Amino acid sequence: MSGDNHMVNMYRAIRQETLNICHSLELEDHTIQPSSFVSPPKWHLAHTTWFFEELFLKREEDNFKSYDANFFFLFNSYYNSLGEFIPQQKRGILSRPTLRNTLKYREYVDNKMLEIIARDRLTPAQKSLIEIGLHHEQQHQELLYMDIKYILHSSNAVYQEGKIDSAQQATRNWEFFEENLREIGAQNWGFSYDNENPRHKIYMYPFLISDTLVSNGEYLDFINSGAYKKHNYWLSLGWDFIRRNNIKHPLYWKYHDKRWYEYTLNGLQELDLNAPVVHISFFEADAFAAYKQARLPTEFEMEIFLYTREDEAKTALSLHPFDITSAKRQVWCWTSSSYAAYPGFKAFKGPLFEYNKKFMCNQYVLRGGAVVTPQSHYRDSYRNFYLPSQRWMFSGIRLAKDLCENY
Ligand SMILES: [Fe+2]
């Protein structure tokens, strides 16, 4: 199979997967925006297409005719260098284009892209641009799961049928990593984003890291201990955040008739005490670590730990995490590391310099992937990042400790 046949197959499969994720949605689910941080699925379908049209077809293909000139403003996410765009919080006011027209837009762009890829005359720079476009699409596939869950949770709607298997109880062990000079960042093979580069050396002090994720049961103990009412566990901003927003439990937990339930993509389920806690803010993760007299790992400790663990998610068919002992692709683990540039960092060239760099302020890094992270998109050097107050991503906790004589 030639390289470009491989790219044709990759392009088809990844674009199709986005449609598959939306397949069970109703028309109404595609258009609403229940919060400013959520994008309607219809917007994701169009924006991922806009990415190929605007950044590839319009620039690389002579005589390319745009599908609809109005779409530029509607589906540019945040690229100031390209032009004006609709504010993020207004993505839900668009009744047009219709879903049907949005799907036609995808088809139009896909036909053109596949024709170009099949011509087998792509330069290395063009191939790399398409590769970024496909990883961008996979990033939006995870965002789609996050947004669909948020959209459906108010009505406890079932996204996919089936009962989720109960998780196994696990005992926590602490893995020890000795003091050492280590290398961090993207390996020199395969795709990586600019923010994972360059690979560089870092001196690491000895640390202990938990081989299990924090479970719902442990988190429930934290709640029942009155932790949401005790300021001493909380960062000042975190204490303000939970009080101002009346936060008393993880995002999708519900208390009803003296029982705890959790909304999942399989609908409302009784809380599985052995499953990993998920959909919590950095503030809650940090407070939980303080309650346990531990701390959150740094992103470097997470990366070193992940490289020693070969396990992959065992939950391919379940969209609810249940394997507390898995290191990878169960829940994204909050780290104590602020999202910042690595030494020697160089942003992507051209308009894509805005892809990651401009978000390097006031956000924290999460590591390890989640059940909704596409497998071929995930790498151990992958740096996910969110505001410390955000909770709608599949975020959880892995504890770490310093090594001193008290432990
Ligand atoms: Fe995007």
Side-chain angles (χ1 to χ4, degrees):
M1 183 183 285
S2 83
D4 287 339
N5 270 340
H6 174 68
M7 190 164 258
V8 164
N9 292 340
M10 286 287 291
Y11 184 94
R12 278 215 178 98
I14 290 172
R15 294 282 287 167
Q16 181 59 43
E17 181 58 22
T18 308
L19 297 177
N20 296 347
I21 292 168
C22 296
H23 182 72
S24 63
L25 299 181
E26 299 291 345
L27 187 59
E28 292 85 345
D29 304 328
H30 279 92
T31 56
I32 68 163
Q33 184 176 28
S35 188
S36 57
F37 55 80
V38 170
S39 297
K42 185 177 72 173
W43 189 89
H44 286 288
L45 289 167
H47 162 71
T48 47
T49 306
W50 171 92
F51 194 95
F52 286 108
E53 184 182 46
E54 190 57 37
L55 292 161
F56 190 89
L57 293 173
K58 283 191 186 173
R59 287 153 193 273
E60 306 292 333
E61 186 68 357
D62 293 338
N63 306 318
F64 172 74
K65 193 173 169 306
S66 181
Y67 180 81
D68 184 328
N70 290 322
F71 286 10
F72 175 80
F73 174 74
L74 301 180
F75 302 123
N76 176 8
S77 50
Y78 53 65
Y79 294 89
N80 291 304
S81 60
L82 294 176
E84 297 282 310
F85 48 84
I86 190 167
Q88 183 177 0
Q89 67 274 19
K90 291 195 170 174
R91 290 173 186 170
I93 66 169
L94 305 171
S95 66
R96 304 299 173 97
T98 60
L99 177 61
R100 193 167 45 193
N101 196 13
T102 303
L103 295 175
K104 276 191 188 163
Y105 174 43
R106 282 183 75 88
E107 220 176 287
Y108 178 82
V109 166
D110 285 348
N111 286 341
K112 199 70 202 167
M113 287 297 301
L114 286 166
E115 182 194 314
I116 292 167
I117 297 168
R119 259 189 235 151
D120 206 6
R121 292 204 299 267
L122 292 171
T123 64
Q126 288 175 322
K127 281 185 184 173
S128 134
L129 194 52
I130 294 172
E131 197 176 23
I132 293 175
L134 292 175
H135 278 274
H136 170 256
E137 181 106 11
Q138 289 183 304
Q139 229 174 330
H140 277 271
Q141 288 169 2
E142 177 161 345
L143 284 165
L144 268 166
Y145 282 121
M146 290 157 54
D147 290 350
I148 288 169
K149 190 167 182 179
Y150 198 87
I151 287 167
L152 298 181
H153 92 277
S154 302
S155 43
N156 285 335
V158 173
Y159 169 77
Q160 68 167 23
E161 297 292 341
K163 194 179 174 316
I164 297 169
D165 293 338
S166 299
Q168 301 290 318
Q169 195 171 15
T171 313
R172 168 163 296 124
N173 294 302
W174 294 91
E175 282 192 29
F176 168 66
F177 289 82
E178 61 190 21
E179 184 171 6
N180 216 335
L181 187 66
R182 297 186 186 269
E183 288 207 341
I184 293 294
Q187 309 275 0
N188 290 329
W189 49 268
F191 178 83
S192 58
Y193 283 124
D194 53 1
N195 63 4
E196 299 162 64
N197 289 285
R199 191 163 173 81
H200 62 285
K201 292 188 180 67
I202 185 161
Y203 194 82
M204 294 179 67
Y205 292 93
F207 66 97
L208 294 163
I209 189 162
S210 168
D211 67 347
T212 59
L213 295 161
V214 169
S215 69
N216 284 328
E218 288 179 286
Y219 204 83
L220 187 56
D221 289 343
F222 172 63
I223 294 173
N224 289 340
S225 77
Y228 278 80
K229 296 178 193 139
K230 291 179 186 162
H231 66 86
N232 45 318
Y233 296 134
W234 298 84
L235 293 166
S236 175
L237 287 177
W239 182 242
D240 290 348
F241 167 72
I242 59 163
R243 296 218 301 173
R244 200 171 49 247
N245 297 288
N246 198 25
I247 287 172
K248 295 175 177 166
H249 52 74
L251 177 59
Y252 293 122
W253 285 26
K254 298 180 185 190
Y255 193 64
H256 179 64
D257 268 355
K258 298 185 180 167
R259 279 178 185 273
W260 281 103
Y261 294 84
E262 181 174 22
Y263 176 72
T264 73
L265 285 165
N266 295 50
L268 199 62
Q269 311 263 338
E270 200 161 334
L271 187 69
D272 182 347
L273 296 179
N274 294 329
V277 67
V278 65
H279 296 294
I280 53 159
S281 62
F282 169 83
F283 294 133
E284 290 163 297
D286 184 81
F288 180 87
Y291 156 82
K292 281 287 197 184
Q293 295 178 299
R295 61 171 174 79
L296 298 179
T298 66
E299 65 165 316
F300 308 118
E301 288 167 345
M302 274 297 295
E303 186 167 322
I304 296 298
F305 167 71
L306 290 167
Y307 273 120
T308 64
R309 300 287 292 252
E310 290 303 317
D311 56 333
E312 285 296 342
K314 296 164 192 159
T315 51
L317 298 176
S318 167
L319 293 175
H320 180 84
F322 70 85
D323 186 357
I324 202 165
T325 61
S326 178
K328 297 176 191 175
R329 296 183 58 243
Q330 296 292 309
V331 296
W332 286 103
C333 296
W334 280 110
T335 75
S336 60
S337 303
S338 290
Y339 179 46
Y342 285 168
F345 167 78
K346 285 194 179 62
F348 282 141
K349 292 199 173 69
L352 289 176
F353 84 93
E354 294 187 65
Y355 200 101
N356 281 311
K357 182 181 185 304
K358 70 180 184 182
F359 300 112
M360 291 177 174
C361 181
N362 290 348
Q363 311 215 42
Y364 283 85
V365 176
L366 299 97
R367 293 296 196 114
V371 280
V372 288
T373 311
Q375 184 151 348
S376 61
H377 182 61
Y378 175 76
R379 302 169 292 284
D380 287 341
S381 60
Y382 199 107
R383 307 175 78 199
N384 206 352
F385 53 90
Y386 281 97
L387 297 172
S389 59
Q390 288 178 311
R391 313 202 296 164
W392 98 114
M393 59 290 181
F394 287 70
S395 51
I397 315 172
R398 183 178 298 280
L399 295 173
K401 285 180 175 181
D402 292 317
L403 192 76
C404 69
E405 63 261 28
N406 293 337
Y407 299 130

